[in-house]
Amino acid sequence: MLIRVEACGVCRGDAKIIEGAASEYPRIPGHEVVGVIDAVGGNVTKWEIGQRVGIGWHGGHNHTTALSIDGGYAEYMAAYEDGLVIIPNEISPEEAAPLLCAGETVFSALRNSKARMGDLIAVSGVGGLGHLAIQYASKAGFRVAAISRGSEKEKLAVQLGAHYYIDSEKEEIGEALQRLEGAKVIIATAPSKKAISPLINGLGKDGEIIIAAVSDEPIEWSAMDFLKGPYSVKGTFTDINEMADAINFSVLTGVRPIIELFPLEKAQQAYEKMMAAKTHFRAVIQISQ
């Protein structure tokens, strides 16, 4: 199908393409794409012209969007029918785009975690992923503790649904979470070993850390750290089978990303600002309406 792109999120995963990981070049980045179907191939059976759809990392036909096929930093892109999900009219293209990767990643992390309603969820990092994780956890019925450096994000974290705020500059994270009886699950969204390593001390019995942050740094844990719980650690990544559910849950409960908009001609500026961690939560390229 041919998609007329309306909006495309700017994600840290785009760095993989820009730094040389794509199958061939030139290659168009962008894997948080929302647009309208403009034309369909002769064998397409699932979709019709005029439908609003989204496409994430999973490009269909075993392709990865922006790695083995072109992505959404463009006015149009080609897509396979098995890589798409429907985007309801109740959410704007600009707000839907970041949910196709950042939002779905933390949504599925929570939904597939050990936690049950009423348990304590801690979200480490109140940034592009963390501000969505706080909303999802709160809307799903968890007690939520937000963790960040400094007090500047405390008010926003509470507005997003956090019940507690832990300033890691003023108190030790593990001790603060243990005063709350320990977290059943900690979602690590801050891409730094200094932010991730202390989290294990804040888990409750049989708790787990789910790493959603993109970082190549080794994490400093010993075998004894795991034996004390016992604790478990796992990673999470976007899953096309969870994508539609993440979008629909967001529409149902009012979860929305905080976004900063850029026109297509400023895509390079949007990317550089995102990589410098200066974006107001999620950068989105607004292409057409």
Side-chain angles (χ1 to χ4, degrees):
M1 286 158 293
L2 184 67
I3 308 298
R4 176 173 57 81
V5 181
E6 296 180 303
C8 183
V10 181
C11 181
R12 184 167 288 271
D14 295 338
K16 297 297 183 183
I17 293 88
I18 292 169
E19 293 171 359
S23 59
E24 61 182 12
Y25 289 88
R27 175 70 76 220
I28 299 172
H31 60 274
E32 296 179 338
V33 190
V34 175
V36 174
I37 297 175
D38 197 65
V40 298
N43 293 325
V44 170
T45 59
K46 298 179 181 178
W47 305 98
E48 299 176 356
I49 292 172
Q51 287 181 299
R52 174 168 287 134
V53 293
I55 184 169
W57 269 120
H58 303 274
H61 273 52
N62 297 317
H63 283 284
T64 302
T65 307
L67 279 173
S68 60
I69 55 173
D70 283 334
Y73 287 24
E75 293 175 323
Y76 289 87
M77 71 171 286
Y80 292 101
E81 66 175 351
D82 56 335
L84 302 179
V85 296
I86 197 74
I87 302 296
N89 291 329
E90 291 85 352
I91 187 169
S92 72
E94 295 81 7
E95 289 179 322
L99 302 181
L100 295 169
C101 180
E104 189 279 321
T105 296
V106 292
F107 171 83
S108 60
L110 286 166
R111 187 159 79 162
N112 297 312
S113 73
K114 293 181 176 180
R116 297 295 179 265
M117 288 186 293
D119 286 342
L120 178 65
I121 295 285
V123 178
S124 174
V126 186
L129 278 79
H131 87 289
L132 288 166
I134 291 168
Q135 293 181 72
Y136 284 130
S138 176
K139 297 291 187 180
F142 299 111
R143 291 188 299 139
V144 185
I147 304 166
S148 189
R149 288 188 303 144
S151 59
E152 60 185 43
K153 292 184 177 179
E154 180 174 5
K155 182 178 180 181
L156 175 62
V158 172
Q159 290 174 345
L160 293 173
H163 303 93
Y164 316 98
Y165 183 82
I166 298 171
D167 180 351
S168 62
E169 291 184 340
K170 293 183 178 179
E171 52 186 336
E172 202 278 321
I173 295 170
E175 293 178 359
L177 288 174
Q178 292 303 331
R179 287 196 295 270
L180 299 173
E181 299 181 351
K184 187 67 174 180
V185 171
I186 301 177
I187 309 292
T189 71
S192 162
K193 71 176 183 181
K194 291 183 178 179
I196 298 173
S197 295
L199 299 177
I200 199 165
N201 296 319
L203 289 172
K205 184 175 176 59
D206 197 31
E208 68 178 344
I209 294 175
I210 304 176
I211 299 177
V214 177
S215 174
D216 294 325
E217 296 180 293
I219 300 169
E220 299 173 353
W221 287 322
S222 70
M224 286 303 300
D225 288 326
F226 291 92
L227 295 174
K228 288 184 293 186
Y231 305 136
S232 60
V233 177
K234 66 181 182 181
T236 186
F237 192 63
T238 178
D239 182 350
I240 190 171
N241 297 313
E242 307 261 0
M243 202 174 295
D245 290 339
I247 293 287
N248 291 332
F249 185 85
S250 301
V251 170
L252 178 67
T253 61
V255 172
R256 295 292 187 275
I258 298 172
I259 57 176
E260 184 175 349
L261 296 176
F262 297 83
L264 180 57
E265 58 268 24
K266 293 187 177 180
Q268 180 72 25
Q269 177 185 331
Y271 171 77
E272 291 174 353
K273 192 171 182 180
M274 178 274 300
M275 290 298 291
K278 295 182 178 179
T279 304
H280 191 53
F281 293 94
R282 299 301 296 186
V284 177
I285 301 170
Q286 188 177 42
I287 298 171
S288 69
Q289 293 184 354

